[in-house]
């Protein structure tokens, strides 16, 4: 019975870590895409390792905060035997589950902090995020090409068209994405009361 309970807790912790890793990859993927849009030269995994570490530590802090909430709720619920008024209105019968939730959150937080200090784990997260970012860009390019040419996959020189796809990325997709980013920055500047004609770094835009 004890082994079964431990296995169940291990499964819950593993699921929490899987979700946290997925969230980290998503955050890194978006960071890499933004880096592409700003015209950064080349890809260096080491440039994104601090982002990976920061994201993992942030998620660990969230898990610790959840553990603190569970502990406060457990103390409040202890000794209360009346009917509950809602989902989060805990009673004495909920004390055991709240203790389990606290322990699971602490295990997740500890594992995330360990991963945040593991260079190999950080590089792996960045590499996975890079693959996801490239896959998203490649799908956008492929979708654009399929619109402009009904069946490019049937072309006999399909492999030789890779250069054309890269040209499409440089000349079509990235300019569109940069334009979208400029529009978003423009709107944000207007909301903040800043000069709407300045770039995101606060410099005045060139004439025209």
């Amino acid at each position: 019975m004890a082994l079964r309970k431990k296995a169940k807790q291990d499964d819950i912790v593993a699921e929490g870590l899987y979700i946290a890793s997925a969230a980290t990859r998503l955050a890194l993927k978006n960071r890499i895409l933004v880096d592409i849009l700003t015209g950064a030269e080349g890809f260096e995994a080491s440039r994104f390792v601090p982002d990976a570490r920061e994201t993992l530590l942030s998620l660990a802090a969230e898990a610790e905060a959840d553990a603190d909430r569970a502990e406060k709720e457990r103390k409040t619920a202890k000794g209360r035997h009346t009917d509950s008024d809602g989902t989060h209105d805990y009673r004495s019968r909920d004390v055991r589950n709240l203790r389990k939730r606290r322990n699971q959150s602490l295990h997740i937080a500890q594992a995330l902090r360990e991963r945040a200090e593991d260079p190999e784990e950080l590089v792996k997260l960045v590499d996975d995020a890079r693959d996801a970012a490239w896959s998203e860009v490649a799908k956008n390019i492929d979708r654009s090409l399929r619109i402009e040419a009904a069946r490019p996959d049937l072309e006999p020189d399909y492999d030789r068209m890779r250069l054309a796809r890269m040209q499409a990325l440089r000349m079509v997709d990235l300019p569109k994405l940069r334009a979208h980013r400029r529009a978003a920055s423009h709107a944000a500047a207007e909301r903040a009361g800043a000069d709407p004609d300045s770039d995101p770094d606060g410099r005045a835009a060139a004439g025209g």
Side-chain angles (χ1 to χ4, degrees), residues 5-61:
K5 286 184 178 180
K6 185 179 185 305
K8 185 177 180 180
Q9 175 167 300
D10 289 345
D11 288 343
I12 292 173
V13 171
E15 182 179 358
L17 290 174
Y18 175 82
I19 293 171
S21 294
T24 303
R25 285 192 296 271
L26 177 61
L28 288 172
K29 183 197 75 171
N30 292 337
R31 173 70 179 83
I32 291 170
L33 287 173
V34 169
D35 196 65
I36 292 173
L37 301 184
T38 56
E41 294 294 331
F43 174 86
E44 291 291 340
S46 59
R47 197 163 71 246
F48 299 95
V49 165
D51 295 285
R53 184 174 186 274
E54 180 181 349
T55 302
L56 287 173
L57 291 177
S58 176
L59 291 170

Side-chain angles (χ1 to χ4, degrees), residues 96-112:
R96 178 180 294 181
N97 286 335
L98 289 168
R99 184 183 293 114
K100 287 181 180 178
R101 196 181 87 186
R102 173 182 178 273
N103 291 337
Q104 290 159 1
S105 295
L106 288 176
H107 277 95
I108 291 171
Q110 180 182 354
L112 288 173

Side-chain angles (χ1 to χ4, degrees), residues 45 124 127 138 176 195:
K124 183 179 184 302
D127 286 341
K176 284 181 180 179
D195 180 2

Side-chain angles (χ1 to χ4, degrees), residues 52-108:
R53 184 174 186 274
E54 180 181 349
T55 302
L56 287 173
L57 291 177
S58 176
L59 291 170
E62 289 182 13
E64 288 164 348
D66 185 67
D68 288 342
R69 283 192 297 273
E71 178 63 9
K72 291 176 182 177
E73 290 165 347
R74 184 191 70 80
K75 290 180 178 179
T76 301
K78 192 174 182 181
R80 299 176 69 184
H81 302 284
T82 57
D83 290 337
S84 174
D85 292 331
T87 304
H88 300 291
D89 187 28
Y90 298 107
R91 291 296 183 266
S92 181
R93 59 182 173 274
D94 301 309
V95 166
R96 178 180 294 181
N97 286 335
L98 289 168
R99 184 183 293 114
K100 287 181 180 178
R101 196 181 87 186
R102 173 182 178 273
N103 291 337
Q104 290 159 1
S105 295
L106 288 176
H107 277 95
I108 291 171

